[in-house]
Amino acid sequence: MLVLPPELTHRQATACLHMLKQGLRVHRDSTVVVDARALTVFDTSALAVLLECRREALSEGKQFAVQGMPPALAGMAGLYGVDALLAPAH
């Protein structure tokens, strides 16, 4: 499981994406799950990071899911029409 930091804004986006991509490289499961429960401070950059992480996972033939997405971030994903791409983990 990959874990998002408590804060993910434009300022942290590049470093966070780099960290997630490194995690993807060593991730062996068929489904990549990103845990967003710690996320408390974020902007639309968090969506961009999650979408890029999803793209990377799919390019490696893996499924992608997000666990514990904060309601405000889920609402933002719905507003931008990408909520279906960031499905919750089961």
Side-chain angles (χ1 to χ4, degrees):
M1 181 178 305
L2 305 176
V3 180
L4 292 182
E7 184 172 338
L8 180 47
T9 62
H10 181 71
R11 181 176 295 186
Q12 298 87 15
T14 301
C16 183
L17 183 57
H18 180 71
M19 174 199 66
L20 291 172
K21 284 183 176 182
Q22 284 183 324
L24 275 170
R25 285 187 198 103
V26 298
H27 196 275
R28 299 290 175 229
D29 294 336
S30 62
T31 300
V32 175
V33 178
V34 176
D35 185 351
R37 288 180 288 188
L39 196 58
T40 56
V41 178
F42 53 86
D43 60 17
T44 56
S45 298
L47 289 178
V49 166
L50 286 170
L51 291 169
E52 179 61 16
C53 187
R54 177 185 182 274
R55 188 190 70 73
E56 289 283 328
L58 294 178
S59 75
E60 294 182 14
K62 299 176 182 178
Q63 299 295 314
F64 181 83
V66 180
Q67 173 179 305
M69 186 182 297
L73 186 59
M76 195 183 301
L79 181 67
Y80 285 103
V82 297
D83 50 332
L85 300 176
L86 303 174
H90 300 291

